[in-house]
Amino acid sequence: MSEYLAKLNPEQREAVETIDGPLLVLAGAGTGKTRVLTTRFAHILMSGKARPWEVLAVTFTNKAAREMRERIGAILGRPVEGLWLGTFHALCARMLRRHAALVGLNPSFTILDTDDQLRLLKQVMEVAGVDTKRWPPQGLMAQIQRWKDRGLTPARVTPAEDTDYAAGRAKALYEGYQQRLRDLNAADFGDLLLHVTEILRGHAEVLADYHRTFRYILVDEYQDTNLVQYLWLRLLAQRPDPQPQNICCVGDDDQSIYSWRGAEIENILRFEKDFRGAKIVRLEANYRSTRPILGAASGLIARNTGRLGKTLRPGRNDADGEKVRVVSLWDSEEEARMVGDRIETARRSGESLSECAILVRAGFQTRSFEERLIVLGLPYRVVGGLKFYERAEIRDAMAYLRILNQPADDLAFERIVNTPKRGLGESGLRLLHDLARVERIPLAAAAERIVEGDALKPKPRNAIRELMQGFARWRGVNEKEGHVVAAATMLEESGYTAMWQEAATVKKDPEAQGRLENLKELLRAMGEFQSLAGFLDHVALVMENDENAEGERVQVMTLHAAKGLEFDTVFLPGWEEGLFPSQRSLDEGGEKALEEERRLAYVGITRARKRAVISHAANRRIYGNWSSAIPSRFLDELPEDMVTREGASAMRMQRDVPSVFGAGGGLFARRPRVIEAGSWEVKERPAQVASFQRGDRVFHDKFGYGTVTAVDDDRLEIAFDKSDTKRVLDRFVKPADQA
């Protein structure tokens, strides 16, 4: 037996040695998918079945392509040249340059980036007389890309596929956009696959040539393919009799979690129908996780009906380990403390911080965990995104809050005076700066003066006047109804929330909904403080003490970003109805969307090697008030023999609870929903052992000496000798006699 085959288990070896005919390798999490794919490629070459350039290998990322190339070279003992190995877009760009003339281009065509695409589409819309303010180009571009992802040229867009965007003119504008691309000898990323698919569809001689060239096709992550990728692969693989259909697709239907960006799980589910005589090999020996982790994940995913089916089993000799923990907590603050304390305990026992991961369903959830990690002095990294208070929408909102609290904050005013757009250009802003400098007054005061004259054009003058009147009104709301209500009112009335709502619904910005959720989380955070000034001080201190530590860090990321990664210890917080599964999936997607949410839960659990801790809170803060939360239905679906429940009982209950995550209305729209779900009694919040008590004298680096007047867990209310009473975290003060 060849040395490289001897390293494989029986299932993996079967997948490698089944060379001829269509093959689907269902590779469960941690079962050695990459090893099988690369070994199979090398085995084809070593067996003399094909030369390097006669194998087409498709990956989803350039990193995966590089890794495969390196591994193949290691097995063969030499670098391999001439491979058709790369991402869908890279391979199709290579093909399109060969046959560009067939779609009206020449081989030197330019591939446009996103900004150039939008500028070109805007030009097309303006020439057609479309109001781009009412119908933003971003919205139409999103629709065009959806059509391209489905393999639809303008001629193939049927009435059923059409949209009423731009008063029913979307299809015609799409056609005009494609013509302009041809005129400029250009293509966008969607065109790379679309054009090549059209060439293969319409030119039999080209397709036949590729059939002769590619004796074998290998595809990674097949469950993540969209429709045009599927069509391209099927055209290349489905050959007329008696030619063999030598296509091998590797994937996991249980890890198909990207429908929101066009992935079609049906592609992998219908593999046997698409390719006659197809064989399925299941890789079920998991070398990553313990038996309880695999049992919990398998029991959960078995509830899905739209799957081909497999059951993970331990492939390690040391597979026995602790059960998955399901922790029921009093509230979201307790949840953050629990996670932080367990990570601190793990660090003290010698575990690497980099092997601890917090995986959340939505980006806004990271805020409470970030703050807790900072309090504990544990360095962390937000993977695939910015830290909460560094995100653009949070910085914008904080700038509004700073002006509400302190009108003379020129840096904050300059950031938001034209956000959202108020028609104030560079010249108008220069006028404000000039007036402020000459009169030696803040920019906000200069704005109040300048709107009384005619130095600004009518549109920006009226908009700035409305903004300044708004700040005066919002300060009144702050005094009468509190800082949380004032902040929500300000974000609504200033047009800032509406800007992101429009981006989500009209421009189809995929990040906009997440930004709106982050703004909700900001308001939740404000509800933990007695005043706006106290909250702003807290954020400033958090940012000041959040040093960029080198070395090991706790990994914080969304479940989507965690796919393909693994850690010793994984925390999965927020398993509550409306959060996970998300309210949007429950309201808009039906059973199909619910099954994708369950696959996402399966992905989360299977990231853990040794320990998985799932948690939910009985109460979460909504719009400054506490509201009950229902445990996720997924918690009931975990096999009891694989989990340990902390604070749990078998009580069943039915509740009518308003959901924070409903759509429509204001920033905190709610809709009641009745659901029957498993719930557990939650232990009463344990008493916090405070390091300070009322009456203690303390010292703060910024505010000086003061006296503790109240203690709430790790938050202290301190009457400072030379400043107002403030709420600060106990980590930021020390006993006065130690100052």
Side-chain angles (χ1 to χ4, degrees):
M1 186 189 304
S2 300
E3 182 180 349
Y4 62 87
L5 292 177
K7 297 178 180 179
L8 306 176
N9 67 30
E11 299 162 346
Q12 293 172 335
R13 187 175 174 189
E14 182 183 9
V16 168
E17 293 188 309
T18 305
I19 294 180
D20 296 321
L23 173 68
L24 176 62
V25 180
L26 283 180
T31 58
K33 168 182 71 71
T34 304
R35 168 175 285 189
V36 166
L37 198 61
T38 54
T39 306
R40 178 183 172 86
F41 196 135
H43 186 60
I44 290 171
L45 301 183
M46 296 281 278
S47 303
K49 289 282 189 175
R51 292 167 291 186
W53 54 89
E54 293 176 329
V55 181
L56 177 69
V58 191
T59 66
F60 263 83
T61 65
N62 290 316
K63 179 183 177 182
R66 285 194 302 272
E67 183 179 356
M68 187 182 297
R69 188 183 301 272
E70 291 169 0
R71 289 197 183 193
I72 293 168
I75 293 174
L76 297 178
R78 66 181 188 278
V80 186
E81 303 297 333
L83 296 180
W84 280 82
L85 167 60
T87 65
F88 281 97
H89 289 101
L91 293 170
C92 283
R94 184 174 170 184
M95 288 182 173
L96 186 56
R97 294 204 185 276
R98 283 184 167 190
H99 311 287
L102 298 178
V103 289
L105 300 172
N106 69 53
S108 62
F109 64 84
T110 301
I111 301 174
L112 300 186
D113 61 22
T114 303
D115 289 341
D116 287 338
Q117 293 170 32
L118 282 173
R119 285 198 294 122
L120 184 61
L121 182 59
K122 185 178 181 181
Q123 293 171 9
V124 171
M125 296 174 74
E126 288 173 345
V127 169
V130 176
D131 184 352
T132 55
K133 292 183 179 178
R134 182 181 179 188
W135 306 104
Q138 293 91 333
L140 180 56
M141 180 57 70
Q143 179 59 57
I144 289 173
Q145 294 306 325
R146 282 194 292 273
W147 280 331
K148 291 185 178 184
D149 285 346
R150 296 188 60 78
L152 300 174
T153 62
R156 292 182 184 272
V157 176
T158 64
E161 295 276 2
D162 207 348
T163 174
D164 59 359
Y165 197 89
R169 302 171 64 185
K171 180 179 176 180
L173 292 168
Y174 176 23
E175 190 168 7
Y177 171 69
Q178 292 300 101
Q179 183 58 55
R180 283 292 294 144
L181 285 169
R182 283 191 292 271
D183 293 343
L184 296 173
N185 192 38
D188 62 22
F189 282 102
D191 284 329
L192 299 177
L193 275 148
L194 183 65
H195 283 330
V196 174
T197 300
E198 283 299 299
I199 290 169
L200 298 180
R201 277 170 162 174
H203 298 271
E205 72 285 359
V206 175
L207 181 59
D209 184 54
Y210 282 115
H211 283 166
R212 287 188 293 270
T213 299
F214 300 134
R215 297 173 61 85
Y216 294 91
I217 299 175
L218 305 177
V219 187
D220 192 13
E221 303 285 10
Y222 190 57
Q223 79 280 348
D224 292 334
T225 52
N226 61 30
L227 193 53
V228 73
Q229 291 164 345
Y230 162 80
L231 292 172
W232 178 73
L233 286 168
R234 196 178 67 176
L235 284 163
L236 291 170
Q238 287 184 337
R239 303 159 183 249
D241 290 329
Q243 296 181 46
Q245 301 183 78
N246 295 331
I247 182 171
C248 171
C249 294
V250 180
D252 184 1
D253 53 328
D254 291 334
Q255 295 189 72
S256 179
I257 58 173
Y258 296 120
S259 66
W260 49 276
R261 66 185 190 197
E264 300 264 0
I265 190 175
E266 289 78 10
N267 294 349
I268 193 170
L269 297 180
R270 64 182 173 220
F271 186 87
E272 289 179 284
K273 294 181 180 179
D274 286 333
F275 300 102
R276 60 187 183 278
K279 181 176 182 178
I280 296 182
V281 174
R282 289 172 169 81
L283 305 184
E284 298 176 310
N286 175 284
Y287 296 94
R288 174 189 301 158
S289 306
T290 62
R291 191 184 312 277
I293 290 170
L294 297 179
S298 295
L300 177 65
I301 200 63
R303 300 295 185 109
N304 275 6
T305 58
R307 62 191 295 258
L308 295 170
K310 64 183 175 305
T311 302
L312 296 180
R313 66 178 189 277
R316 298 166 23 180
N317 294 326
D318 59 340
D320 293 330
E322 63 183 72
K323 293 183 177 182
V324 173
R325 295 185 179 273
V326 177
V327 185
S328 306
L329 297 145
W330 176 257
D331 59 29
S332 49
E333 294 179 8
E334 196 76 55
E335 182 179 53
R337 276 194 291 274
M338 180 274 294
V339 171
D341 292 348
R342 294 193 186 205
I343 292 175
E344 175 71 5
T345 301
R347 182 181 72 164
R348 289 174 178 168
S349 65
E351 185 166 332
S352 167
L353 286 179
S354 297
E355 289 299 336
C356 295
I358 304 172
L359 310 183
V360 299
R361 174 62 183 87
F364 71 86
Q365 289 176 264
T366 69
R367 195 271 311 170
S368 59
F369 299 103
E370 289 184 54
E371 294 199 359
R372 188 62 192 169
L373 293 173
I374 290 170
V375 166
L376 294 172
L378 297 174
Y380 69 94
R381 180 169 72 101
V382 177
V383 178
L386 295 170
K387 295 180 178 181
F388 185 81
Y389 289 110
E390 294 175 352
R391 296 168 189 173
E393 65 278 9
I394 299 302
R395 286 187 177 276
D396 289 344
M398 291 297 298
Y400 272 101
L401 293 171
R402 284 161 53 188
I403 299 167
L404 192 66
N405 182 64
Q406 170 54 271
D409 191 331
D410 282 359
L411 291 176
F413 186 84
E414 190 169 9
R415 181 180 182 97
I416 60 88
V417 67
N418 208 33
T419 305
K421 297 294 184 184
R422 296 186 174 93
L424 187 70
E426 290 186 10
S427 60
L429 191 58
R430 195 179 305 115
L431 287 173
L432 279 179
H433 276 286
D434 290 344
L435 180 58
R437 186 174 60 255
V438 170
E439 299 290 336
R440 294 186 178 181
I441 57 176
L443 283 175
E448 290 178 341
R449 287 196 190 181
I450 205 168
V451 296
E452 300 306 319
D454 57 1
L456 295 178
K457 294 180 180 178
K459 180 181 177 181
R461 182 168 68 244
N462 293 334
I464 301 303
R465 180 187 294 113
E466 184 177 336
L467 176 65
M468 301 318 297
Q469 291 171 348
F471 274 115
R473 183 169 65 254
W474 303 325
R475 289 189 185 98
V477 175
N478 184 35
E479 292 175 3
K480 294 179 181 178
E481 301 183 56
H483 59 294
V484 179
V485 176
T489 304
M490 178 172 61
L491 292 175
E492 292 281 356
E493 294 183 354
S494 67
Y496 189 76
T497 303
M499 178 183 77
W500 289 117
Q501 288 171 337
E502 180 187 16
T505 57
V506 179
K507 299 180 181 179
K508 306 298 182 183
D509 181 346
E511 297 183 357
Q513 191 60 43
R515 296 185 190 276
L516 288 168
E517 297 292 355
N518 289 339
L519 293 173
K520 295 177 186 178
E521 181 61 23
L522 180 68
L523 295 184
R524 291 188 187 98
M526 293 180 66
E528 299 174 14
F529 295 84
Q530 294 179 346
S531 68
L532 176 58
F535 174 68
L536 292 174
D537 285 344
H538 163 74
V539 174
L541 292 168
V542 164
M543 298 296 286
E544 179 183 347
N545 285 273
D546 181 17
E547 299 176 356
N548 293 320
E550 296 296 328
E552 297 179 355
R553 300 186 184 194
V554 179
Q555 309 295 299
V556 183
M557 69 193 79
T558 64
L559 286 162
H560 282 101
K563 186 170 177 289
L565 304 177
E566 56 187 75
F567 309 92
D568 284 348
T569 302
V570 168
F571 294 92
L572 300 162
W575 282 40
E576 298 145 23
E577 290 291 310
L579 180 50
F580 193 33
S582 72
Q583 194 67 46
R584 176 177 288 187
S585 68
L586 296 174
D587 290 344
E588 301 176 8
E591 189 64 26
K592 183 177 179 181
L594 179 61
E595 293 208 347
E596 179 156 332
E597 291 285 293
R598 192 176 284 113
R599 291 194 293 272
L600 194 56
Y602 169 85
V603 166
I605 295 172
T606 55
R607 299 310 94 197
R609 296 192 195 101
K610 299 177 181 178
R611 289 171 292 277
V613 180
I614 302 170
S615 60
H616 75 96
N619 302 282
R620 285 198 183 269
R621 193 183 292 274
I622 301 174
Y623 200 41
N625 299 313
W626 289 100
S627 179
S628 299
I630 302 176
S632 169
R633 66 191 72 193
F634 298 154
L635 296 176
D636 272 346
E637 298 172 359
L638 297 169
E640 286 299 325
D641 58 336
M642 296 295 171
V643 302
T644 297
R645 301 190 190 272
E646 300 182 12
S649 76
M651 180 176 63
R652 307 283 302 180
M653 57 187 355
Q654 185 170 340
R655 293 179 182 173
D656 187 322
V657 180
S659 170
V660 191
F661 303 92
L667 191 59
F668 272 88
R670 310 181 194 179
R671 281 175 290 177
R673 191 167 67 84
V674 178
I675 183 171
E676 183 175 331
S679 182
W680 299 281
E681 294 173 353
V682 180
K683 295 178 181 177
E684 185 177 354
R685 180 202 295 265
Q688 185 81 4
V689 179
S691 55
F692 294 96
Q693 299 178 353
R694 286 186 62 186
D696 285 355
R697 290 287 290 170
V698 295
F699 177 78
H700 187 284
D701 288 339
K702 182 175 181 180
F703 304 121
Y705 290 95
T707 302
V708 177
T709 58
V711 178
D712 177 15
D713 293 322
D714 57 350
R715 293 180 174 84
L716 308 178
E717 185 176 279
I718 302 173
F720 287 102
D721 298 348
K722 296 182 179 181
S723 183
D724 298 332
T725 297
K726 300 182 183 297
R727 291 190 82 192
V728 301
L729 298 172
D730 59 8
R731 179 171 179 264
F732 301 136
V733 299
K734 53 190 173 184
D737 58 5
Q738 297 179 16

